[in-house]
Amino acid sequence: MILGLTLPGERRAREKAPTAERAGNTSGTADAATAAKASGTPAPGGSGTPSASATPTGPIPAAAPAAAAAKANELGQVPVLMYHRIVKKPEMSLDRSSKELYDELTRLAKGGYCPITAGEFAGGRFNVPAGKHPVVLTFDDSTPGHFALDASGRPQPDTAVAIIQRVAQENPGFRPTATFFLNKELFGLEDGPAGAGLKWLVQQGFELGNHTMTHPDLAGMSEQKVHEEIGGMEDRIVQLTGAHTATLAYPFGSVPRKEKWARGDGARYSFQGIFLAGWRPSPSPFAEEFDRWNIDRVRSEGKIKENDCTKYCSTAWLEYLDKNPDERYTSDGDPNTVTFPKTAEDRLDGTYRARARTY
């Protein structure tokens, strides 16, 4: 059995969503937002479908020489890493130690990866330097090991936030960001400190996501219960931060009987993307096979026997992508274009053809 295995469903057509401020989805995205405006790609919360007239039908233009030199492949796979508890000494199967997190993030930094948020990834709006590879760091369940501030207002040592910032300081170019998918416990903080803490995270460039109130299995729940779980969490986040979230992660990777129940509920919540608890890197958001309502993630773990981690967890997948760089997303350094080898043209989502470049 593979933990949280949920295979992607059929790719859905992009849908319109109401404009709304997103919690933690504004930091570090100015260049990407400019690119989105220039290319017809929507701003957060806007329509996911550029006008049909903007999509050309002729040959795709040639890539910039610098993009070709970087061997850009923006239709390659992107690791979306899934973390749970971060503790000094692991006690449960999904736990990762502070040292294991530090080592894995350092490996990513040395390997040319650049973190982006879940919202940026789901919307295809991010800016990564040429030759670098996007990675999405996601932390589920908002446990105390993810985030806490000391008396001086600094992140507690050995928390995920402190470790991310440390790795960024030690490795210039490694952006200190991640997405925290929240449950009602909110890092074990009371309402007052929780509100201040969430705002601190957003101000520091981190993103907040929805993970339901009580972490239930949504598959067996009624529409009303699904709305209560997701909407209740969204209500609390908005109350504490004044902003909506852009993305949802299914508890256990378990999908409701009708997926539309999770995607939106009027003005209460309306997501740009939904994340699974899967077993493989995600397709590029510019690829035809990408499904923003079923985004794959990879459990962070070494090559252990449990849940087939010898093949399907983070260490194994990062090794695979290192050995097969042609399958990995490599940026062209220009958020206005989507560059890839000519041999990959049939994998392009036609929505992005106006931005496409080949070599």
Side-chain angles (χ1 to χ4, degrees):
M1 175 182 176
I2 300 170
L3 179 72
L5 172 60
T6 307
L7 293 176
E10 293 296 322
R11 186 176 182 278
R12 276 85 178 174
R14 290 177 169 81
E15 299 175 346
K16 293 185 178 181
T19 301
E21 184 180 359
R22 302 291 180 177
N25 198 37
T26 57
S27 177
T29 62
D31 290 339
T34 300
K37 181 177 179 181
S39 65
T41 303
S47 169
T49 307
S51 63
S53 60
T55 303
T57 56
I60 294 176
K71 297 183 178 180
N73 179 14
E74 296 185 315
L75 297 181
Q77 300 180 79
V78 177
V80 181
L81 302 188
M82 177 182 66
Y83 298 92
H84 289 83
R85 295 202 315 167
I86 303 300
V87 293
K88 289 186 178 180
K89 184 177 180 180
E91 301 172 345
M92 303 168 64
S93 66
L94 295 178
D95 289 352
R96 295 293 267 164
S97 72
S98 300
K99 183 180 185 304
E100 286 171 333
L101 176 62
Y102 172 80
D103 289 346
E104 183 159 79
L105 296 185
T106 299
R107 174 185 181 166
L108 290 168
K110 301 298 185 185
Y113 284 92
C114 182
I116 62 176
T117 69
E120 292 166 354
F121 180 68
R125 296 178 301 278
F126 50 89
N127 191 5
V128 172
K132 301 295 185 180
H133 322 292
V135 62
V136 186
L137 309 176
T138 66
F139 293 81
D140 289 9
D141 308 337
S142 53
T143 57
H146 294 167
F147 171 65
L149 297 176
D150 63 20
S152 63
R154 297 172 181 167
Q156 290 275 11
D158 294 327
T159 60
V161 169
I163 294 167
I164 291 168
Q165 292 187 331
R166 176 186 170 189
V167 173
Q169 291 172 353
E170 295 173 350
N171 299 274
F174 189 80
R175 180 182 169 202
T177 193
T179 298
F180 292 93
F181 285 114
L182 308 176
N183 296 129
K184 67 178 182 179
E185 287 77 14
L186 295 175
F187 312 111
L189 302 173
E190 299 295 333
D191 276 357
L198 296 185
K199 290 177 182 177
W200 186 96
L201 285 170
V202 172
Q203 291 167 357
Q204 296 298 314
F206 294 94
E207 182 183 52
L208 309 179
N210 192 313
H211 200 42
T212 74
M213 286 289 285
T214 66
H215 203 281
D217 183 343
L218 297 177
M221 301 181 74
S222 67
E223 179 178 7
Q224 179 181 349
K225 291 295 185 180
V226 171
H227 287 322
E228 287 176 358
E229 279 288 340
I230 299 173
M233 193 66 240
E234 194 71 11
D235 291 344
R236 190 165 189 217
I237 294 170
V238 171
Q239 178 186 20
L240 293 173
T241 69
H244 282 281
T245 63
T247 55
L248 168 76
Y250 287 131
F252 310 109
S254 186
V255 182
R257 290 200 305 274
K258 293 188 178 180
E259 294 182 31
K260 67 179 182 180
W261 297 348
R263 296 179 189 176
D265 183 17
R268 197 177 190 190
Y269 62 86
S270 179
F271 299 115
Q272 296 177 15
I274 299 179
F275 289 75
L276 303 174
W279 52 277
R280 64 177 184 177
S282 172
S284 162
F286 311 123
E288 178 66 27
E289 66 178 306
F290 180 72
D291 179 357
R292 68 183 176 117
W293 301 121
N294 293 277
I295 300 175
D296 293 303
R297 294 193 288 172
V298 175
R299 171 186 168 184
S300 173
E301 187 53 86
K303 294 173 72 174
I304 63 175
K305 292 182 179 180
E306 178 184 292
N307 294 306
D308 286 339
C309 279
T310 53
K311 295 181 180 179
Y312 299 118
C313 291
S314 61
T315 298
W317 272 116
L318 291 175
E319 287 180 358
Y320 177 85
L321 292 174
D322 284 344
K323 294 175 181 177
N324 299 274
D326 57 318
E327 296 186 31
R328 178 173 55 188
Y329 187 116
T330 299
S331 176
D332 67 1
D334 184 351
N336 290 295
T337 57
V338 178
T339 300
F340 48 88
K342 289 182 180 179
T343 54
E345 181 176 342
D346 61 344
R347 295 176 45 222
L348 175 68
D349 179 345
T351 301
Y352 296 99
R353 190 176 176 85
R355 296 167 56 183
R357 303 290 186 271
T358 63
Y359 63 97

